[in-house]
Amino acid sequence: MNPTVLLIEDNPQNRYLATYLLERRGYRVVTAENGPLGIELAASLAPDMILLDIQLPAMDGYSVAQALRRLAPLRTTPIVAVTSYAMAGDREKALASGCDGYIEKPIDPISFVDQIAAHARAHAANGDPA
Ligand code: MN
């Protein structure tokens, strides 16, 4: 079965591009346009990986990551932050809130899926079942 990626992203163009790139490589993609919906979908779908925009309305990606980690089935699911924040410390903040990795926007269409796959491999190599 193809791996399922949950993409939590409020920007429609970013959702479209990431979905297109992932589906083209055989991933199943489910999208959420805000944090609460993303958390609800994550709980019901148990995706293989979560791509998480940090700049989201109302509930930012850091809070979403923390909430996801409180759900037992999602404790070891790879969560990769996708953000355009360039300020120093944001990467550390994403990792501290429960994300496993970090991809910078703008999305590079050439390397995006390979970057995600590399995060998944690194995560698996660390011994987590997900
Ligand atoms: Mn955003």
Side-chain angles (χ1 to χ4, degrees), residues 9-11 14 53-57 82 105:
E9 163 68 77
D10 63 316
N11 180 291
N14 287 337
D53 181 25
I54 294 298
Q55 289 179 286
L56 292 167
V82 185
K105 285 181 185 174

Side-chain angles (χ1 to χ4, degrees), residues 14 17-18 21 24-25 82 103-116:
N14 287 337
L17 177 60
L21 294 170
R24 197 175 61 167
R25 293 276 291 270
V82 185
I103 293 176
E104 286 190 10
K105 285 181 185 174
I107 288 170
D108 175 6
I110 306 293
S111 66
F112 178 66
V113 178
D114 289 331
Q115 286 180 283
I116 289 162

